[in-house]
Amino acid sequence: MGVFVCKGGCRMVNYEAKRIEEKWRAHWEKSGRDRTDEDSKRPKYYCLDMFPYPSGSGLHVGHWRGYVLSDVWSRYKRLMGYEVLHPMGWDAFGLPAENDAIKKRIHPAVGTARNIANFKGQLKRMGAMFDWDREMNTSSPEYYKWTQWIFLQLFDMGLAYRKEMPINWCPSCKTGLANEEVVDGACERCGTPVTKRNMNQWMLRITEYAERLLNDLDLLEWPDKVKKMQANWIGRSVGAELEFKLVDLDDRLKVFTTRPDTLYGATYMVLAPEHPFVQKLTTPEQRVAVSEYVEQTLAKSNLARQQMDKTKTGVFTGGYALHPITGEQIPIWIADYVLMDYGTGAIMAVPAHDQRDFEFAREFQLPIVRVIQTRGNETKVTDLMQESDTGDGILMNSGPYNGLTVPEAKQKLVDDLEAQGIARRTVGYKLRDWVFARQRYWGEPIPVVHCETCGIVPVNETDLPVMLPDVERYEPTGTGDSPLAAIESFVNTTCPSCLGPAKRETDTMPQWAGSCWYFLRFADPHNTEHPFDRAKVDAWLPVDMYIGGVEHAVLHLLYARFFTKVLYDRQVIGFKEPFTRLFNQGMMTLNGIKMSKSKGNVVNPEELVDKYGADTLRMYELFVGPPEVDAEWNPRAIEGVHRFLTKTYRLIAESAIHAPKEESPALRKLRHRFVHQVTERLVSFRFNTVVSAFMEFVTALSEQKAAIDQMTLQTLTICLAPLAPHLAEEVWELLGHTGSVFDQLWPEVDEHDLIEETAIVVVQVNGKVRDRIEIQRDAEQAVVRELALASSHVQSALKEKSIVKEIYVSGKIFNIVVR
RNA sequence: GCGGGUGUGGCGGAAUUGGCAGACGCACCAGACUUAGGAUCUGGCGGGUAACCGUGGGGGUUCGAGUCCCUUCACCCGCACCA
């Protein structure tokens, strides 16, 4: 124990964080303290961090936040008697490594390995109890073999398919993107505006799972915000497909609508410019205008199509449809506000009751017919409408349906049209199938071959993994081919089916692929025969607590849920949802902006660990604010936490020597109140207030005149252990124990010790505090009243007033109402 | 536009079910110990001389509102022509 002599000659214990932390880290490593025991009789608890992409820039204090949180939680659960699985691994496929490879001519595997070593060292210095024996890396063949295996299952189930279609294309990353990766019309990674490109693509049929992905959100203890974001993204809407006959054509036009009740208000139709009917509907007079408009639309980037002021544009095709009931002719237009990949790519436009249709109708002087009489809107002169009216009401201008309510009309109209075979109830989703191929090098090769005679043939399971070959140049070709296409030894192969010559698929999987199932692999990370042993996975999963940033709300979290459901259907696992509970930690900001290397505003944890120790930084990360809220880094405030730990260390170290066995009743009360408070705040994830509870307790202890007893010191140490594990182990040893503090159990609270005999009652007059009086807890109201009225402060407030009413909240407040 | 969130001292933030607003920490001020203090310890610290006033603004319910209701403003996040 370090001791220094202060000015006055007193000897003081010195808190040597660095020495203590190195000592215990070595200790834990040697004893295997952090390894998860498969044979433990304790109940299981799986606490998982969203595993990191090992970037070159390492960790900053913002990254620490989530890892500290999960570690505190894991250690707390350990002390609560659970066998905790708290693993860590690397989401190691991805563009930065590849871009680095292009720039520096280092193989991505080399750069990635170096970054991983760096990350791992940093995480170890944090003192987190990761079970490093389970470490894994999505870019290793041992792992991606099974990612490819899962792809084969998807293929076999018909959930992976190829389709020629215009997809989102990032000209800078030179690859296709999923819908989820396009933010405000730009590439999520690099911010480059995304364009459309027609490509033959691997897709995953995630839409097939839309309904279950939506419904099963109910099973999850996730932040409402995230559930809403997913629900919103899936975007379920109930409606109907209606068929319209076309004038002079044999075909029927299908439209999707959620408002079949407004059928009589349909004054025109709109097709997406890409709609297959456009050609045949267009009359010779309109041909030029139409093809010009179609060309224009296709040339527009997504960004332009979205962000351009929403002035409606469009062209009349010259064609007409027939109203299914009245037989009236309805002109058919094309406009880019109708999207080809939603619904049927065609709509019936009801300008009176849809704002977009209204704007379009105004722009092109198309008729507007009100068919719903809404409350407070008595006008029947539809030309006077200033905007569409989407309110509820009674049908009008709708022939036999007049007088029905909106829900009645929806029901009856669809029933009637259904009877004629020209309507069908359907559900539409905003969710699109997942573009699951990237034209880049550093990813899992998609394990199929293209055979001239057999077509697309999956690689035999026994031939997995399809190894990612070494290449000379990593640059994307930009032609839509991945760099793998240039490697003949990779491309040329034999067909697993007919054994004839065939070519390998050269696209790779998107970065999300590996993270779609890594949480399963952690239960059995070294299995070479299977992706994992089902019994192990079913025993550990689902993840009890999943901690990570909210930025994955619809990307990773939706994809991982989809994979889980597929594997459940495939009977590879026995549960439908991967993550029971989710917690999103807030970001760390500096000068109000998100901390990041690229913005040049990172705070390096290494220096802080050197100066104060990891325990101080851990605790400060918690103290900085509510864990779910963004927090501004305050370089000074960490001092306060460090002072607290120094004080705590001294208090325990110095008290340890002469600590009596017997505890005083006062300390016993103090201790129980503390444990109660800290536990309550911990379980409700109010970690910032957990830290203040410690501060208050230690201050109260240091104000004690009597020596602090052993029980109190032990309790303090155990409670502190999840937050400051190194310090706790050290003082646990100083208190004379030999084992790890993490083999102890979290202290229990005796409710009896929380009850105080006396209470302070606030005396108010007309709601204003006038005095405080001490009473026996069970004092009768009459006694309290007498004491309250005896107070001189109260008396002066009562002067020349008469008492109207008295309210007594037992042991808390006595309020006298006067006039 | 739609959906969600947040507004409390100089700052970060506390405040079970409506019941003492400002816990805890930072910064600041004063003092102690010191050759010295960017160490440590003690005290103070919303505004106002006071009565009182104070949780973005206005209104309401209540004996009592940061907390509930209505209204309004500001900022943040998500979605965004999804028929």
Side-chain angles (χ1 to χ4, degrees):
Chain A
M1 190 195 302
V3 171
F4 76 94
V5 179
C6 79
K7 280 282 139 42
C10 58
R11 290 164 64 79
M12 280 187 102
V13 175
N14 201 9
Y15 169 44
E16 302 164 295
K18 201 165 183 169
R19 179 186 63 80
I20 293 171
E21 291 176 2
E22 278 167 10
K23 169 181 164 187
W24 288 100
R25 271 201 296 277
H27 213 279
W28 292 331
E29 198 141 338
K30 204 172 130 211
S31 65
R33 157 73 282 148
D34 298 334
R35 225 172 289 141
T36 306
D37 180 6
E38 293 265 325
D39 306 318
S40 170
K41 293 204 170 61
R42 292 165 168 244
K44 74 96 184 178
Y45 195 89
Y46 188 178
C47 179
L48 183 66
D49 292 277
M50 290 184 187
F51 70 160
Y53 174 78
S55 74
S57 26
L59 297 172
H60 57 65
V61 294
H63 296 118
W64 265 58
R65 211 164 171 211
Y67 299 131
V68 168
L69 228 64
S70 70
D71 192 56
V72 169
W73 190 247
S74 298
R75 289 180 184 276
Y76 167 68
K77 283 291 171 183
R78 162 89 204 167
L79 290 167
M80 286 302 288
Y82 291 91
E83 187 62 34
V84 177
L85 175 60
H86 186 41
M88 181 49 75
W90 315 104
D91 190 13
F93 272 134
L95 271 185
E98 186 171 341
N99 290 339
D100 234 39
I102 293 166
K103 222 188 291 173
K104 301 178 190 156
R105 313 231 24 111
I106 312 168
H107 194 282
V110 176
T112 301
R114 196 188 47 212
N115 293 346
I116 286 175
N118 181 37
F119 261 63
K120 193 171 170 181
Q122 288 188 306
L123 287 173
K124 283 197 168 180
R125 256 160 284 160
M126 203 178 84
M129 55 175 269
F130 293 120
D131 179 354
W132 288 109
D133 284 3
R134 291 171 191 259
E135 175 182 5
M136 46 88 159
N137 170 342
T138 56
S139 69
S140 71
E142 298 78 44
Y143 182 87
Y144 71 69
K145 170 180 182 176
W146 302 113
T147 310
Q148 291 174 336
W149 180 86
I150 293 172
F151 182 89
L152 294 182
Q153 312 308 303
L154 285 154
F155 183 79
D156 188 53
M157 293 163 85
L159 294 170
Y161 64 100
R162 267 171 87 79
K163 189 180 175 190
E164 168 98 22
M165 62 174 283
I167 59 151
N168 300 304
W169 175 264
C170 174
S172 169
C173 299
K174 297 193 169 98
T175 183
L177 298 174
N179 234 23
E180 288 80 5
E181 292 171 303
V182 181
V183 179
D184 291 335
C187 172
E188 187 225 17
R189 285 218 74 78
C190 65
T192 309
V194 167
T195 58
K196 288 278 176 189
R197 186 170 181 147
N198 216 31
M199 282 177 60
N200 205 353
Q201 287 292 308
W202 280 102
M203 308 281 291
L204 296 188
R205 235 180 268 286
I206 191 172
T207 51
E208 192 122 309
Y209 284 73
E211 195 70 27
R212 285 160 67 188
L213 288 168
L214 182 67
N215 291 338
D216 288 353
L217 285 172
D218 289 344
L219 308 173
L220 305 175
E221 293 170 60
W222 286 17
D224 284 341
K225 182 191 157 107
V226 176
K227 290 202 208 179
K228 285 212 172 94
M229 280 169 76
Q230 289 215 355
N232 205 329
W233 191 262
I234 294 166
R236 181 181 199 267
S237 57
V238 181
E241 264 179 35
L242 310 181
E243 290 179 18
F244 285 67
K245 278 188 189 154
L246 299 170
V247 173
D248 297 334
L249 282 168
D250 216 14
D251 257 313
R252 286 172 168 191
L253 180 64
K254 275 189 192 168
V255 302
F256 174 70
T257 178
T258 55
R259 294 296 304 275
D261 53 300
T262 60
L263 181 58
Y264 280 77
T267 52
Y268 62 101
M269 318 282 289
V270 186
L271 306 185
E274 303 94 333
H275 197 282
F277 280 19
V278 172
Q279 281 303 312
K280 57 183 166 193
L281 277 167
T282 304
T283 55
E285 309 84 70
Q286 295 300 103
R287 184 126 286 154
V288 176
V290 166
S291 44
E292 260 177 27
Y293 185 80
V294 171
E295 257 172 59
Q296 257 175 44
T297 306
L298 294 180
K300 272 187 208 171
S301 70
N302 249 26
L303 189 67
R305 195 159 163 179
Q306 267 180 33
Q307 288 193 334
M308 214 165 343
D309 63 301
K310 307 234 164 124
T311 315
K312 297 288 179 289
T313 58
V315 175
F316 178 46
T317 60
Y320 290 86
L322 293 171
H323 192 281
I325 301 174
T326 65
E328 262 180 273
Q329 291 203 356
I330 309 174
I332 302 173
W333 288 60
I334 61 171
D336 65 4
Y337 82 91
V338 174
L339 309 173
M340 190 57 225
D341 54 359
Y342 184 78
T344 61
I347 62 160
M348 63 175 207
V350 186
H353 305 292
D354 182 286
Q355 188 58 21
R356 295 152 301 180
D357 297 344
F358 181 85
E359 284 163 18
F360 191 84
R362 268 292 154 88
E363 192 69 34
F364 296 100
Q365 279 97 50
L366 292 158
I368 299 168
V369 177
R370 179 185 275 280
V371 290
I372 310 288
Q373 186 67 59
T374 58
R375 217 192 313 267
N377 254 315
E378 307 308 322
T379 170
K380 293 196 175 181
V381 187
T382 48
D383 290 347
L384 294 182
M385 286 176 81
Q386 289 305 304
E387 55 179 5
S388 65
D389 184 355
T390 52
D392 211 350
I394 305 295
L395 268 74
M396 59 185 279
N397 290 336
S398 297
Y401 301 95
N402 283 342
L404 295 181
T405 64
V406 165
E408 285 166 353
K410 275 184 179 168
Q411 182 72 29
K412 186 148 199 316
L413 252 150
V414 179
D415 282 348
D416 292 351
L417 295 178
E418 223 166 16
Q420 299 176 44
I422 54 168
R424 183 167 79 84
R425 288 192 162 81
T426 58
V427 176
Y429 298 95
K430 278 166 66 175
L431 184 71
R432 309 289 202 269
D433 272 348
W434 180 8
V435 177
F436 197 71
R438 299 294 176 268
Q439 293 70 45
R440 299 291 303 232
Y441 169 69
W442 192 232
E444 302 87 349
I446 292 175
V448 300
V449 301
H450 300 270
C451 169
E452 294 228 346
T453 35
C454 313
I456 292 169
V457 183
V459 169
N460 284 325
E461 272 186 33
T462 48
D463 293 333
L464 294 181
V466 175
M467 294 288 286
L468 190 59
D470 281 340
V471 296
E472 291 295 316
R473 306 183 63 78
Y474 309 104
E475 281 87 346
T477 61
T479 60
D481 278 334
S482 106
L484 294 181
I487 306 177
E488 289 191 14
S489 58
F490 175 78
V491 174
N492 294 320
T493 184
T494 48
C495 170
S497 175
C498 69
L499 302 177
K503 291 194 183 305
R504 279 195 195 281
E505 171 63 59
T506 56
D507 278 359
T508 52
M509 299 187 206
Q511 188 176 352
W512 311 105
S515 59
C516 278
W517 71 283
Y518 78 106
F519 42 91
L520 305 172
R521 181 74 175 173
F522 274 136
D524 188 15
H526 308 300
N527 200 324
T528 52
E529 302 301 310
H530 303 280
F532 41 76
D533 177 71
R534 174 162 176 174
K536 286 185 181 179
V537 166
D538 282 354
W540 281 108
L541 278 273
V543 172
D544 296 282
M545 176 64 81
Y546 196 31
I547 295 179
V550 75
E551 64 271 17
H552 293 116
V554 283
L555 286 156
H556 159 62
L557 287 172
L558 190 66
Y559 296 151
R561 292 181 62 219
F562 166 53
F563 266 48
T564 302
K565 290 187 184 309
V566 171
L567 294 175
Y568 172 82
D569 288 351
R570 194 70 172 177
Q571 294 176 352
V572 176
I573 56 174
F575 48 93
K576 301 175 184 179
E577 283 290 337
F579 315 119
T580 306
R581 210 172 147 192
L582 174 72
F583 185 84
N584 297 123
Q585 83 275 13
M587 292 182 312
M588 198 63 93
T589 63
L590 189 63
N591 308 321
I593 38 178
K594 177 187 162 76
M595 209 175 265
S596 80
K597 181 86 185 247
S598 62
K599 299 213 176 71
N601 65 340
V602 292
V603 174
N604 181 357
E606 304 285 305
E607 293 160 22
L608 294 165
V609 170
D610 282 346
K611 190 168 175 195
Y612 302 106
D615 283 341
T616 295
L617 183 53
R618 287 170 63 103
M619 217 143 170
Y620 178 62
E621 296 267 349
L622 300 173
F623 191 56
V624 72
E628 69 281 6
V629 175
D630 290 352
E632 172 74 8
W633 182 260
N634 179 346
R636 309 286 283 279
I638 191 171
E639 302 266 359
V641 174
H642 187 63
R643 275 197 277 267
F644 160 74
L645 281 182
T646 305
K647 195 169 151 186
T648 305
Y649 180 76
R650 272 189 198 145
L651 180 89
I652 303 176
E654 289 172 358
S655 307
I657 312 157
H658 305 296
K661 274 216 160 66
E662 285 295 303
E663 69 178 338
S664 68
L667 274 176
R668 186 181 164 80
K669 276 226 150 72
L670 202 59
R671 172 164 66 82
H672 280 282
R673 213 172 53 213
F674 163 71
V675 174
H676 174 73
Q677 203 174 45
V678 131
T679 309
E680 193 178 63
R681 292 176 181 189
L682 210 48
V683 296
S684 50
F685 263 58
R686 282 139 58 209
F687 297 108
N688 53 328
T689 63
V690 167
V691 177
S692 35
F694 276 102
M695 288 172 166
E696 283 173 281
F697 185 50
V698 169
T699 302
L701 289 181
S702 54
E703 281 164 0
Q704 291 288 318
K705 290 199 185 72
I708 301 166
D709 62 276
Q710 291 174 3
M711 188 55 148
T712 299
L713 294 171
Q714 284 181 26
T715 302
L716 173 60
T717 303
I718 295 169
C719 291
L720 193 58
L723 292 86
H726 312 88
L727 187 152
E729 290 277 41
E730 177 72 9
V731 297
W732 187 248
E733 191 177 69
L734 292 180
L735 288 170
H737 303 282
T738 46
S740 167
V741 68
F742 293 101
D743 289 330
Q744 299 302 306
L745 284 179
W746 191 258
E748 282 183 23
V749 177
D750 187 343
E751 295 289 332
H752 192 75
D753 280 297
L754 296 176
I755 300 164
E756 301 280 351
E757 281 103 53
T758 61
I760 305 290
V761 168
V762 172
V763 184
Q764 300 180 334
V765 176
N766 282 355
K768 290 205 170 79
V769 181
R770 293 303 172 190
D771 206 353
R772 295 171 176 83
I773 54 174
E774 187 171 11
I775 59 151
Q776 292 300 304
R777 170 151 291 278
D778 48 3
E780 299 280 335
Q781 180 167 345
V783 178
V784 178
R785 178 178 201 270
E786 203 170 313
L787 282 165
L789 291 176
S791 156
S792 58
H793 294 106
V794 174
Q795 274 174 9
S796 61
L798 292 180
K799 215 170 266 174
E800 291 162 29
K801 304 265 170 68
S802 56
I803 296 175
V804 186
K805 196 174 176 183
E806 292 166 17
I807 293 114
Y808 179 54
V809 180
S810 180
K812 273 187 182 165
I813 276 205
F814 190 78
N815 189 13
I816 304 164
V817 186
V818 297
R819 217 181 354 235

